[in-house]
Amino acid sequence: MENYEFAINFDNFLKSFEYMGFGMLGIFLVMGILIGFIVALNRIRFLK
Amino acid sequence: MDALFKNLIELDGGLFAKQLVMWVIGGILIFLAIKKKMEPTLLLPMGFGAILMNLPNNGELVEMGGKLVPEGVATVLGTLYEAGIANELFPLILFIGIGAMIDFGPILSNPKLMIFGAAAQFGIFMTLSLASLFNFDFNQAASIAIIGAADGPTSIVVATQLAPGLLGPITVAAYSYMALVPVVQPPIIKLCTTKKERRIRMPYNPASVSKFTRILFPIIVTVITGLLAPGAVALVGFLMFGNLLRECGVLESLSETAQKVLANLVTLFLGITVAFTMTAEQFVNWGTVLILGLGLFAFVFDTFGGIMIAKLMNLFLPEGKKINPMIGAAGISAFPMSARIVNKIGLEEDNQNFLLVHSIGANVSGQIGSVIAGGLILNFFL
């Protein structure tokens, strides 16, 4: 905690929304692809 | 006589007061572990380690892990820290054990539950914003935000790489809030859902999952994550390796060892070694209080994110196929407490409303979601 000093930093706050957008997009993208793979695997009959 | 009390005579008053605070914190962690049975495997060693690390005048100061530590027991913990945490070895090995413990069957038979594992990571990014607003630099803010992953090893890996100075408070917050899920989540769930929504029943029609799918799943997850979020590859890789040991069907003894002996052994060292970062100088300050507050904020908004995505999905689903929005709250990675809480609230509202299978599915997908979130954060800030 040596480098920390409490203050309100709006610049970083606004920039953080960019990370939020890309972060949530990334998670949904990976999960979406995984869902697609699972659905496909579950539909392949000879695997059952 | 002087020699006998030398240690007490030479006390630095200001520092000793902070060390006393650390003894109290250590005592509280031990109390929570033993009396309240809150994550005892980690909180007890951490509590004892916090006391151990803050004994006054414990030998000459030597440099270790980028800071001055007393030569006594601290150097031994420092050696363990360098060998197992600074290089992320302990949390990653622990992930093999966790992977071997998890049955991904519920999400393989109902993959749409994985959406909740993604949505319930919302608190991580909300906390990143709030911590940035409070003037933490992005590396520190991201490390604090990952408390919302509700996943101890992921928090340790991310904090070690981005803000090692904050590892102590972040680990304490992560494990404490995971243990406090039964206290933290119910009020948020009740605040975000109506009684009618909490009573929505969800029929359970499990699709059969082939052994081939179970074996292929950990390999596919590792490859896809490695391609899209390379930062998560170590975390996901070790988690899925453990799961492959479980599902392959020919390595029962290795799977059992990973689940029990390996996980216990690493946990034993992990807890007490994390305490190496819990020195009074680093821990006793207002920043730590702020980190604990931000960690709680992350858990609250994880729960909120999961519930809201379920409500959003319900707008498009026909009557009879609607999702109980509480399932979304189980999308956090605190396994299996979160799933149990959702099931319990469901039964309180309607004693025939069994949600456990669905909530377990959301909960295990949260395990994957939290690791991916950790990897993406490392991708952004490393």
Side-chain angles (χ1 to χ4, degrees), chain B residues 119-128 130 141 143-150 177 184-185 188 291-305 332:
Chain B
Q121 310 308 321
F122 178 62
I124 295 177
F125 295 99
M126 279 296 288
T127 309
L128 172 67
L130 192 63
S143 302
I144 296 166
I146 208 69
I147 295 170
Y177 290 134
V184 175
Q185 277 204 310
I188 314 297
I291 289 171
L292 293 174
L294 287 165
L296 180 61
F297 179 84
F299 268 68
V300 169
F301 274 86
D302 280 344
T303 308
F304 174 81
I332 69 167

PDB file of all heavy atoms in Angstrom, chain B residues 119-128 130 141 143-150 177 184-185 188 291-305 332:
ATOM      1  N   ALA B 119     -22.267 -13.796 -16.628  1.00  0.00           N
ATOM      2  CA  ALA B 119     -22.910 -12.562 -16.139  1.00  0.00           C
ATOM      3  C   ALA B 119     -22.517 -12.243 -14.702  1.00  0.00           C
ATOM      4  O   ALA B 119     -22.392 -11.070 -14.329  1.00  0.00           O
ATOM      5  CB  ALA B 119     -24.429 -12.707 -16.241  1.00  0.00           C
ATOM      6  N   ALA B 120     -22.299 -13.296 -13.907  1.00  0.00           N
ATOM      7  CA  ALA B 120     -22.005 -13.059 -12.487  1.00  0.00           C
ATOM      8  C   ALA B 120     -20.561 -12.615 -12.256  1.00  0.00           C
ATOM      9  O   ALA B 120     -20.117 -12.545 -11.116  1.00  0.00           O
ATOM     10  CB  ALA B 120     -22.327 -14.313 -11.674  1.00  0.00           C
ATOM     11  N   GLN B 121     -19.846 -12.310 -13.323  1.00  0.00           N
ATOM     12  CA  GLN B 121     -18.515 -11.709 -13.158  1.00  0.00           C
ATOM     13  C   GLN B 121     -18.602 -10.182 -13.277  1.00  0.00           C
ATOM     14  O   GLN B 121     -17.582  -9.488 -13.249  1.00  0.00           O
ATOM     15  CB  GLN B 121     -17.519 -12.257 -14.209  1.00  0.00           C
ATOM     16  CG  GLN B 121     -17.483 -13.765 -14.329  1.00  0.00           C
ATOM     17  CD  GLN B 121     -17.289 -14.493 -13.016  1.00  0.00           C
ATOM     18  OE1 GLN B 121     -16.518 -14.044 -12.169  1.00  0.00           O
ATOM     19  NE2 GLN B 121     -18.004 -15.592 -12.815  1.00  0.00           N
ATOM     20  N   PHE B 122     -19.828  -9.684 -13.426  1.00  0.00           N
ATOM     21  CA  PHE B 122     -20.057  -8.245 -13.609  1.00  0.00           C
ATOM     22  C   PHE B 122     -19.464  -7.433 -12.452  1.00  0.00           C
ATOM     23  O   PHE B 122     -18.901  -6.351 -12.649  1.00  0.00           O
ATOM     24  CB  PHE B 122     -21.571  -8.010 -13.723  1.00  0.00           C
ATOM     25  CG  PHE B 122     -21.973  -6.588 -13.859  1.00  0.00           C
ATOM     26  CD1 PHE B 122     -21.563  -5.835 -14.939  1.00  0.00           C
ATOM     27  CD2 PHE B 122     -22.780  -5.982 -12.906  1.00  0.00           C
ATOM     28  CE1 PHE B 122     -21.946  -4.501 -15.066  1.00  0.00           C
ATOM     29  CE2 PHE B 122     -23.169  -4.660 -13.024  1.00  0.00           C
ATOM     30  CZ  PHE B 122     -22.747  -3.923 -14.106  1.00  0.00           C
ATOM     31  N   GLY B 123     -19.584  -7.974 -11.244  1.00  0.00           N
ATOM     32  CA  GLY B 123     -19.078  -7.258 -10.059  1.00  0.00           C
ATOM     33  C   GLY B 123     -17.587  -6.982 -10.150  1.00  0.00           C
ATOM     34  O   GLY B 123     -17.107  -5.971  -9.631  1.00  0.00           O
ATOM     35  N   ILE B 124     -16.852  -7.883 -10.819  1.00  0.00           N
ATOM     36  CA  ILE B 124     -15.400  -7.691 -10.950  1.00  0.00           C
ATOM     37  C   ILE B 124     -15.132  -6.368 -11.665  1.00  0.00           C
ATOM     38  O   ILE B 124     -14.334  -5.539 -11.218  1.00  0.00           O
ATOM     39  CB  ILE B 124     -14.771  -8.857 -11.748  1.00  0.00           C
ATOM     40  CG1 ILE B 124     -14.912 -10.165 -10.972  1.00  0.00           C
ATOM     41  CG2 ILE B 124     -13.314  -8.572 -12.073  1.00  0.00           C
ATOM     42  CD1 ILE B 124     -14.379 -11.379 -11.726  1.00  0.00           C
ATOM     43  N   PHE B 125     -15.836  -6.161 -12.776  1.00  0.00           N
ATOM     44  CA  PHE B 125     -15.542  -4.977 -13.591  1.00  0.00           C
ATOM     45  C   PHE B 125     -16.145  -3.708 -12.980  1.00  0.00           C
ATOM     46  O   PHE B 125     -15.591  -2.619 -13.130  1.00  0.00           O
ATOM     47  CB  PHE B 125     -15.997  -5.224 -15.034  1.00  0.00           C
ATOM     48  CG  PHE B 125     -15.195  -6.323 -15.679  1.00  0.00           C
ATOM     49  CD1 PHE B 125     -15.689  -7.618 -15.767  1.00  0.00           C
ATOM     50  CD2 PHE B 125     -13.917  -6.078 -16.139  1.00  0.00           C
ATOM     51  CE1 PHE B 125     -14.932  -8.637 -16.316  1.00  0.00           C
ATOM     52  CE2 PHE B 125     -13.150  -7.098 -16.697  1.00  0.00           C
ATOM     53  CZ  PHE B 125     -13.654  -8.375 -16.787  1.00  0.00           C
ATOM     54  N   MET B 126     -17.272  -3.851 -12.273  1.00  0.00           N
ATOM     55  CA  MET B 126     -17.817  -2.700 -11.543  1.00  0.00           C
ATOM     56  C   MET B 126     -16.824  -2.251 -10.464  1.00  0.00           C
ATOM     57  O   MET B 126     -16.610  -1.060 -10.242  1.00  0.00           O
ATOM     58  CB  MET B 126     -19.152  -3.083 -10.873  1.00  0.00           C
ATOM     59  CG  MET B 126     -20.343  -3.053 -11.785  1.00  0.00           C
ATOM     60  SD  MET B 126     -20.709  -1.403 -12.398  1.00  0.00           S
ATOM     61  CE  MET B 126     -21.350  -0.633 -10.919  1.00  0.00           C
ATOM     62  N   THR B 127     -16.230  -3.238  -9.801  1.00  0.00           N
ATOM     63  CA  THR B 127     -15.282  -2.917  -8.727  1.00  0.00           C
ATOM     64  C   THR B 127     -14.002  -2.309  -9.296  1.00  0.00           C
ATOM     65  O   THR B 127     -13.412  -1.422  -8.688  1.00  0.00           O
ATOM     66  CB  THR B 127     -14.956  -4.193  -7.916  1.00  0.00           C
ATOM     67  OG1 THR B 127     -16.176  -4.791  -7.537  1.00  0.00           O
ATOM     68  CG2 THR B 127     -14.141  -3.887  -6.684  1.00  0.00           C
ATOM     69  N   LEU B 128     -13.619  -2.773 -10.472  1.00  0.00           N
ATOM     70  CA  LEU B 128     -12.456  -2.183 -11.146  1.00  0.00           C
ATOM     71  C   LEU B 128     -12.697  -0.685 -11.348  1.00  0.00           C
ATOM     72  O   LEU B 128     -11.825   0.147 -11.082  1.00  0.00           O
ATOM     73  CB  LEU B 128     -12.229  -2.885 -12.493  1.00  0.00           C
ATOM     74  CG  LEU B 128     -11.175  -2.300 -13.424  1.00  0.00           C
ATOM     75  CD1 LEU B 128      -9.787  -2.453 -12.832  1.00  0.00           C
ATOM     76  CD2 LEU B 128     -11.211  -2.970 -14.787  1.00  0.00           C
ATOM     77  N   LEU B 130     -14.849   1.261  -9.653  1.00  0.00           N
ATOM     78  CA  LEU B 130     -14.943   1.973  -8.371  1.00  0.00           C
ATOM     79  C   LEU B 130     -13.558   2.149  -7.753  1.00  0.00           C
ATOM     80  O   LEU B 130     -13.238   3.231  -7.239  1.00  0.00           O
ATOM     81  CB  LEU B 130     -15.873   1.205  -7.419  1.00  0.00           C
ATOM     82  CG  LEU B 130     -16.287   1.975  -6.173  1.00  0.00           C
ATOM     83  CD1 LEU B 130     -17.105   3.208  -6.528  1.00  0.00           C
ATOM     84  CD2 LEU B 130     -17.088   1.093  -5.223  1.00  0.00           C
ATOM     85  N   ALA B 141      -6.246  -1.738  -8.846  1.00  0.00           N
ATOM     86  CA  ALA B 141      -7.711  -1.809  -8.963  1.00  0.00           C
ATOM     87  C   ALA B 141      -8.143  -3.174  -9.505  1.00  0.00           C
ATOM     88  O   ALA B 141      -9.106  -3.788  -9.014  1.00  0.00           O
ATOM     89  CB  ALA B 141      -8.220  -0.695  -9.871  1.00  0.00           C
ATOM     90  N   SER B 143      -6.486  -5.998  -9.276  1.00  0.00           N
ATOM     91  CA  SER B 143      -6.235  -7.030  -8.256  1.00  0.00           C
ATOM     92  C   SER B 143      -7.333  -7.024  -7.200  1.00  0.00           C
ATOM     93  O   SER B 143      -7.760  -8.083  -6.733  1.00  0.00           O
ATOM     94  CB  SER B 143      -4.885  -6.799  -7.576  1.00  0.00           C
ATOM     95  OG  SER B 143      -3.879  -6.798  -8.532  1.00  0.00           O
ATOM     96  N   ILE B 144      -7.777  -5.817  -6.831  1.00  0.00           N
ATOM     97  CA  ILE B 144      -8.857  -5.723  -5.838  1.00  0.00           C
ATOM     98  C   ILE B 144     -10.154  -6.266  -6.454  1.00  0.00           C
ATOM     99  O   ILE B 144     -10.904  -7.009  -5.817  1.00  0.00           O
ATOM    100  CB  ILE B 144      -9.043  -4.255  -5.382  1.00  0.00           C
ATOM    101  CG1 ILE B 144      -7.781  -3.769  -4.657  1.00  0.00           C
ATOM    102  CG2 ILE B 144     -10.268  -4.116  -4.487  1.00  0.00           C
ATOM    103  CD1 ILE B 144      -7.719  -2.271  -4.478  1.00  0.00           C
ATOM    104  N   ALA B 145     -10.394  -5.884  -7.702  1.00  0.00           N
ATOM    105  CA  ALA B 145     -11.634  -6.289  -8.368  1.00  0.00           C
ATOM    106  C   ALA B 145     -11.774  -7.796  -8.442  1.00  0.00           C
ATOM    107  O   ALA B 145     -12.874  -8.339  -8.334  1.00  0.00           O
ATOM    108  CB  ALA B 145     -11.687  -5.682  -9.772  1.00  0.00           C
ATOM    109  N   ILE B 146     -10.642  -8.495  -8.576  1.00  0.00           N
ATOM    110  CA  ILE B 146     -10.702  -9.946  -8.773  1.00  0.00           C
ATOM    111  C   ILE B 146     -11.172 -10.661  -7.498  1.00  0.00           C
ATOM    112  O   ILE B 146     -11.476 -11.861  -7.546  1.00  0.00           O
ATOM    113  CB  ILE B 146      -9.343 -10.487  -9.297  1.00  0.00           C
ATOM    114  CG1 ILE B 146      -9.554 -11.758 -10.130  1.00  0.00           C
ATOM    115  CG2 ILE B 146      -8.376 -10.736  -8.199  1.00  0.00           C
ATOM    116  CD1 ILE B 146     -10.248 -11.546 -11.430  1.00  0.00           C
ATOM    117  N   ILE B 147     -11.277  -9.952  -6.390  1.00  0.00           N
ATOM    118  CA  ILE B 147     -11.917 -10.538  -5.196  1.00  0.00           C
ATOM    119  C   ILE B 147     -13.310 -11.029  -5.596  1.00  0.00           C
ATOM    120  O   ILE B 147     -13.792 -12.048  -5.123  1.00  0.00           O
ATOM    121  CB  ILE B 147     -12.027  -9.497  -4.045  1.00  0.00           C
ATOM    122  CG1 ILE B 147     -10.639  -9.096  -3.550  1.00  0.00           C
ATOM    123  CG2 ILE B 147     -12.854 -10.056  -2.880  1.00  0.00           C
ATOM    124  CD1 ILE B 147     -10.646  -7.907  -2.593  1.00  0.00           C
ATOM    125  N   GLY B 148     -13.931 -10.285  -6.536  1.00  0.00           N
ATOM    126  CA  GLY B 148     -15.275 -10.644  -6.988  1.00  0.00           C
ATOM    127  C   GLY B 148     -15.326 -11.942  -7.773  1.00  0.00           C
ATOM    128  O   GLY B 148     -16.411 -12.443  -8.057  1.00  0.00           O
ATOM    129  N   ALA B 149     -14.163 -12.498  -8.115  1.00  0.00           N
ATOM    130  CA  ALA B 149     -14.165 -13.807  -8.775  1.00  0.00           C
ATOM    131  C   ALA B 149     -14.638 -14.881  -7.801  1.00  0.00           C
ATOM    132  O   ALA B 149     -14.972 -15.986  -8.211  1.00  0.00           O
ATOM    133  CB  ALA B 149     -12.773 -14.149  -9.303  1.00  0.00           C
ATOM    134  N   ALA B 150     -14.644 -14.554  -6.512  1.00  0.00           N
ATOM    135  CA  ALA B 150     -15.050 -15.503  -5.462  1.00  0.00           C
ATOM    136  C   ALA B 150     -14.258 -16.797  -5.587  1.00  0.00           C
ATOM    137  O   ALA B 150     -14.786 -17.889  -5.415  1.00  0.00           O
ATOM    138  CB  ALA B 150     -16.558 -15.777  -5.532  1.00  0.00           C
ATOM    139  N   TYR B 177     -15.109 -13.338   2.299  1.00  0.00           N
ATOM    140  CA  TYR B 177     -16.407 -13.132   1.650  1.00  0.00           C
ATOM    141  C   TYR B 177     -16.954 -14.428   1.061  1.00  0.00           C
ATOM    142  O   TYR B 177     -18.168 -14.626   1.032  1.00  0.00           O
ATOM    143  CB  TYR B 177     -16.322 -12.035   0.587  1.00  0.00           C
ATOM    144  CG  TYR B 177     -16.146 -10.670   1.191  1.00  0.00           C
ATOM    145  CD1 TYR B 177     -15.216  -9.775   0.703  1.00  0.00           C
ATOM    146  CD2 TYR B 177     -16.912 -10.281   2.286  1.00  0.00           C
ATOM    147  CE1 TYR B 177     -15.045  -8.529   1.282  1.00  0.00           C
ATOM    148  CE2 TYR B 177     -16.738  -9.048   2.875  1.00  0.00           C
ATOM    149  CZ  TYR B 177     -15.807  -8.172   2.370  1.00  0.00           C
ATOM    150  OH  TYR B 177     -15.638  -6.962   2.942  1.00  0.00           O
ATOM    151  N   VAL B 184     -24.061 -12.709   2.798  1.00  0.00           N
ATOM    152  CA  VAL B 184     -24.043 -11.600   1.831  1.00  0.00           C
ATOM    153  C   VAL B 184     -25.137 -11.762   0.762  1.00  0.00           C
ATOM    154  O   VAL B 184     -25.840 -10.794   0.442  1.00  0.00           O
ATOM    155  CB  VAL B 184     -22.649 -11.498   1.142  1.00  0.00           C
ATOM    156  CG1 VAL B 184     -22.657 -10.440   0.047  1.00  0.00           C
ATOM    157  CG2 VAL B 184     -21.569 -11.187   2.163  1.00  0.00           C
ATOM    158  N   GLN B 185     -25.290 -12.969   0.231  1.00  0.00           N
ATOM    159  CA  GLN B 185     -26.163 -13.121  -0.948  1.00  0.00           C
ATOM    160  C   GLN B 185     -27.674 -13.038  -0.692  1.00  0.00           C
ATOM    161  O   GLN B 185     -28.368 -12.371  -1.469  1.00  0.00           O
ATOM    162  CB  GLN B 185     -25.823 -14.421  -1.679  1.00  0.00           C
ATOM    163  CG  GLN B 185     -24.624 -14.245  -2.609  1.00  0.00           C
ATOM    164  CD  GLN B 185     -24.613 -15.270  -3.733  1.00  0.00           C
ATOM    165  OE1 GLN B 185     -24.757 -16.463  -3.480  1.00  0.00           O
ATOM    166  NE2 GLN B 185     -24.427 -14.811  -4.945  1.00  0.00           N
ATOM    167  N   ILE B 188     -29.348  -9.585  -1.005  1.00  0.00           N
ATOM    168  CA  ILE B 188     -29.247  -9.025  -2.364  1.00  0.00           C
ATOM    169  C   ILE B 188     -30.251  -9.741  -3.269  1.00  0.00           C
ATOM    170  O   ILE B 188     -30.947  -9.109  -4.077  1.00  0.00           O
ATOM    171  CB  ILE B 188     -27.816  -9.225  -2.965  1.00  0.00           C
ATOM    172  CG1 ILE B 188     -26.736  -8.854  -1.962  1.00  0.00           C
ATOM    173  CG2 ILE B 188     -27.652  -8.449  -4.263  1.00  0.00           C
ATOM    174  CD1 ILE B 188     -26.736  -7.438  -1.538  1.00  0.00           C
ATOM    175  N   ILE B 291     -10.119  -1.818   0.734  1.00  0.00           N
ATOM    176  CA  ILE B 291     -10.089  -3.054  -0.071  1.00  0.00           C
ATOM    177  C   ILE B 291     -11.174  -4.019   0.402  1.00  0.00           C
ATOM    178  O   ILE B 291     -11.878  -4.625  -0.411  1.00  0.00           O
ATOM    179  CB  ILE B 291      -8.689  -3.715   0.004  1.00  0.00           C
ATOM    180  CG1 ILE B 291      -7.679  -2.866  -0.768  1.00  0.00           C
ATOM    181  CG2 ILE B 291      -8.717  -5.136  -0.558  1.00  0.00           C
ATOM    182  CD1 ILE B 291      -6.246  -3.276  -0.592  1.00  0.00           C
ATOM    183  N   LEU B 292     -11.333  -4.138   1.724  1.00  0.00           N
ATOM    184  CA  LEU B 292     -12.378  -5.032   2.249  1.00  0.00           C
ATOM    185  C   LEU B 292     -13.761  -4.552   1.794  1.00  0.00           C
ATOM    186  O   LEU B 292     -14.616  -5.350   1.408  1.00  0.00           O
ATOM    187  CB  LEU B 292     -12.308  -5.104   3.778  1.00  0.00           C
ATOM    188  CG  LEU B 292     -11.050  -5.774   4.350  1.00  0.00           C
ATOM    189  CD1 LEU B 292     -11.016  -5.674   5.872  1.00  0.00           C
ATOM    190  CD2 LEU B 292     -10.957  -7.236   3.937  1.00  0.00           C
ATOM    191  N   GLY B 293     -13.962  -3.223   1.808  1.00  0.00           N
ATOM    192  CA  GLY B 293     -15.238  -2.663   1.356  1.00  0.00           C
ATOM    193  C   GLY B 293     -15.471  -2.914  -0.128  1.00  0.00           C
ATOM    194  O   GLY B 293     -16.562  -3.308  -0.547  1.00  0.00           O
ATOM    195  N   LEU B 294     -14.415  -2.729  -0.915  1.00  0.00           N
ATOM    196  CA  LEU B 294     -14.543  -2.942  -2.363  1.00  0.00           C
ATOM    197  C   LEU B 294     -14.794  -4.417  -2.683  1.00  0.00           C
ATOM    198  O   LEU B 294     -15.520  -4.738  -3.625  1.00  0.00           O
ATOM    199  CB  LEU B 294     -13.266  -2.461  -3.077  1.00  0.00           C
ATOM    200  CG  LEU B 294     -13.100  -0.934  -3.151  1.00  0.00           C
ATOM    201  CD1 LEU B 294     -11.668  -0.561  -3.519  1.00  0.00           C
ATOM    202  CD2 LEU B 294     -14.070  -0.324  -4.152  1.00  0.00           C
ATOM    203  N   GLY B 295     -14.209  -5.300  -1.889  1.00  0.00           N
ATOM    204  CA  GLY B 295     -14.445  -6.738  -2.082  1.00  0.00           C
ATOM    205  C   GLY B 295     -15.918  -7.076  -1.876  1.00  0.00           C
ATOM    206  O   GLY B 295     -16.511  -7.838  -2.649  1.00  0.00           O
ATOM    207  N   LEU B 296     -16.498  -6.480  -0.849  1.00  0.00           N
ATOM    208  CA  LEU B 296     -17.930  -6.711  -0.586  1.00  0.00           C
ATOM    209  C   LEU B 296     -18.772  -6.176  -1.748  1.00  0.00           C
ATOM    210  O   LEU B 296     -19.715  -6.826  -2.207  1.00  0.00           O
ATOM    211  CB  LEU B 296     -18.322  -6.018   0.731  1.00  0.00           C
ATOM    212  CG  LEU B 296     -19.771  -6.160   1.163  1.00  0.00           C
ATOM    213  CD1 LEU B 296     -20.118  -7.621   1.396  1.00  0.00           C
ATOM    214  CD2 LEU B 296     -20.036  -5.366   2.439  1.00  0.00           C
ATOM    215  N   PHE B 297     -18.394  -5.002  -2.230  1.00  0.00           N
ATOM    216  CA  PHE B 297     -19.074  -4.387  -3.375  1.00  0.00           C
ATOM    217  C   PHE B 297     -19.038  -5.341  -4.584  1.00  0.00           C
ATOM    218  O   PHE B 297     -20.040  -5.520  -5.293  1.00  0.00           O
ATOM    219  CB  PHE B 297     -18.357  -3.066  -3.695  1.00  0.00           C
ATOM    220  CG  PHE B 297     -18.924  -2.306  -4.862  1.00  0.00           C
ATOM    221  CD1 PHE B 297     -20.011  -1.463  -4.693  1.00  0.00           C
ATOM    222  CD2 PHE B 297     -18.363  -2.430  -6.125  1.00  0.00           C
ATOM    223  CE1 PHE B 297     -20.529  -0.764  -5.774  1.00  0.00           C
ATOM    224  CE2 PHE B 297     -18.880  -1.733  -7.211  1.00  0.00           C
ATOM    225  CZ  PHE B 297     -19.960  -0.900  -7.028  1.00  0.00           C
ATOM    226  N   ALA B 298     -17.876  -5.970  -4.799  1.00  0.00           N
ATOM    227  CA  ALA B 298     -17.727  -6.896  -5.931  1.00  0.00           C
ATOM    228  C   ALA B 298     -18.692  -8.069  -5.795  1.00  0.00           C
ATOM    229  O   ALA B 298     -19.353  -8.458  -6.770  1.00  0.00           O
ATOM    230  CB  ALA B 298     -16.285  -7.400  -5.999  1.00  0.00           C
ATOM    231  N   PHE B 299     -18.802  -8.635  -4.600  1.00  0.00           N
ATOM    232  CA  PHE B 299     -19.711  -9.776  -4.387  1.00  0.00           C
ATOM    233  C   PHE B 299     -21.157  -9.358  -4.621  1.00  0.00           C
ATOM    234  O   PHE B 299     -21.945 -10.103  -5.207  1.00  0.00           O
ATOM    235  CB  PHE B 299     -19.539 -10.337  -2.965  1.00  0.00           C
ATOM    236  CG  PHE B 299     -18.534 -11.443  -2.881  1.00  0.00           C
ATOM    237  CD1 PHE B 299     -17.181 -11.192  -3.082  1.00  0.00           C
ATOM    238  CD2 PHE B 299     -18.922 -12.744  -2.616  1.00  0.00           C
ATOM    239  CE1 PHE B 299     -16.254 -12.209  -3.014  1.00  0.00           C
ATOM    240  CE2 PHE B 299     -17.990 -13.776  -2.545  1.00  0.00           C
ATOM    241  CZ  PHE B 299     -16.659 -13.505  -2.743  1.00  0.00           C
ATOM    242  N   VAL B 300     -21.502  -8.157  -4.146  1.00  0.00           N
ATOM    243  CA  VAL B 300     -22.883  -7.676  -4.297  1.00  0.00           C
ATOM    244  C   VAL B 300     -23.223  -7.530  -5.779  1.00  0.00           C
ATOM    245  O   VAL B 300     -24.272  -7.994  -6.244  1.00  0.00           O
ATOM    246  CB  VAL B 300     -23.069  -6.327  -3.548  1.00  0.00           C
ATOM    247  CG1 VAL B 300     -24.389  -5.681  -3.922  1.00  0.00           C
ATOM    248  CG2 VAL B 300     -22.985  -6.540  -2.047  1.00  0.00           C
ATOM    249  N   PHE B 301     -22.306  -6.930  -6.545  1.00  0.00           N
ATOM    250  CA  PHE B 301     -22.619  -6.699  -7.963  1.00  0.00           C
ATOM    251  C   PHE B 301     -22.472  -7.952  -8.822  1.00  0.00           C
ATOM    252  O   PHE B 301     -23.073  -8.035  -9.887  1.00  0.00           O
ATOM    253  CB  PHE B 301     -21.806  -5.516  -8.506  1.00  0.00           C
ATOM    254  CG  PHE B 301     -22.512  -4.229  -8.242  1.00  0.00           C
ATOM    255  CD1 PHE B 301     -22.342  -3.565  -7.035  1.00  0.00           C
ATOM    256  CD2 PHE B 301     -23.411  -3.706  -9.154  1.00  0.00           C
ATOM    257  CE1 PHE B 301     -23.036  -2.404  -6.750  1.00  0.00           C
ATOM    258  CE2 PHE B 301     -24.113  -2.544  -8.881  1.00  0.00           C
ATOM    259  CZ  PHE B 301     -23.926  -1.887  -7.675  1.00  0.00           C
ATOM    260  N   ASP B 302     -21.693  -8.941  -8.359  1.00  0.00           N
ATOM    261  CA  ASP B 302     -21.695 -10.242  -9.037  1.00  0.00           C
ATOM    262  C   ASP B 302     -23.101 -10.842  -8.956  1.00  0.00           C
ATOM    263  O   ASP B 302     -23.657 -11.313  -9.964  1.00  0.00           O
ATOM    264  CB  ASP B 302     -20.734 -11.219  -8.339  1.00  0.00           C
ATOM    265  CG  ASP B 302     -19.286 -11.001  -8.738  1.00  0.00           C
ATOM    266  OD1 ASP B 302     -19.053 -10.321  -9.748  1.00  0.00           O
ATOM    267  OD2 ASP B 302     -18.401 -11.518  -8.042  1.00  0.00           O
ATOM    268  N   THR B 303     -23.631 -10.829  -7.741  1.00  0.00           N
ATOM    269  CA  THR B 303     -24.970 -11.392  -7.515  1.00  0.00           C
ATOM    270  C   THR B 303     -26.002 -10.646  -8.354  1.00  0.00           C
ATOM    271  O   THR B 303     -26.841 -11.255  -9.028  1.00  0.00           O
ATOM    272  CB  THR B 303     -25.325 -11.281  -6.009  1.00  0.00           C
ATOM    273  OG1 THR B 303     -24.253 -11.847  -5.260  1.00  0.00           O
ATOM    274  CG2 THR B 303     -26.612 -11.990  -5.679  1.00  0.00           C
ATOM    275  N   PHE B 304     -25.903  -9.321  -8.332  1.00  0.00           N
ATOM    276  CA  PHE B 304     -26.810  -8.462  -9.096  1.00  0.00           C
ATOM    277  C   PHE B 304     -26.733  -8.790 -10.594  1.00  0.00           C
ATOM    278  O   PHE B 304     -27.755  -8.958 -11.261  1.00  0.00           O
ATOM    279  CB  PHE B 304     -26.426  -6.998  -8.821  1.00  0.00           C
ATOM    280  CG  PHE B 304     -27.179  -5.995  -9.635  1.00  0.00           C
ATOM    281  CD1 PHE B 304     -28.452  -5.598  -9.264  1.00  0.00           C
ATOM    282  CD2 PHE B 304     -26.619  -5.438 -10.784  1.00  0.00           C
ATOM    283  CE1 PHE B 304     -29.151  -4.668 -10.022  1.00  0.00           C
ATOM    284  CE2 PHE B 304     -27.306  -4.518 -11.544  1.00  0.00           C
ATOM    285  CZ  PHE B 304     -28.576  -4.128 -11.160  1.00  0.00           C
ATOM    286  N   GLY B 305     -25.501  -8.906 -11.117  1.00  0.00           N
ATOM    287  CA  GLY B 305     -25.311  -9.180 -12.556  1.00  0.00           C
ATOM    288  C   GLY B 305     -25.949 -10.492 -12.968  1.00  0.00           C
ATOM    289  O   GLY B 305     -26.632 -10.579 -14.000  1.00  0.00           O
ATOM    290  N   ILE B 332     -21.779 -17.004  -9.353  1.00  0.00           N
ATOM    291  CA  ILE B 332     -20.456 -16.688  -8.792  1.00  0.00           C
ATOM    292  C   ILE B 332     -19.759 -18.003  -8.463  1.00  0.00           C
ATOM    293  O   ILE B 332     -20.376 -19.048  -8.368  1.00  0.00           O
ATOM    294  CB  ILE B 332     -20.521 -15.753  -7.553  1.00  0.00           C
ATOM    295  CG1 ILE B 332     -21.140 -16.443  -6.346  1.00  0.00           C
ATOM    296  CG2 ILE B 332     -21.267 -14.487  -7.873  1.00  0.00           C
ATOM    297  CD1 ILE B 332     -20.937 -15.666  -5.069  1.00  0.00           C
TER     298      ILE B 332
END
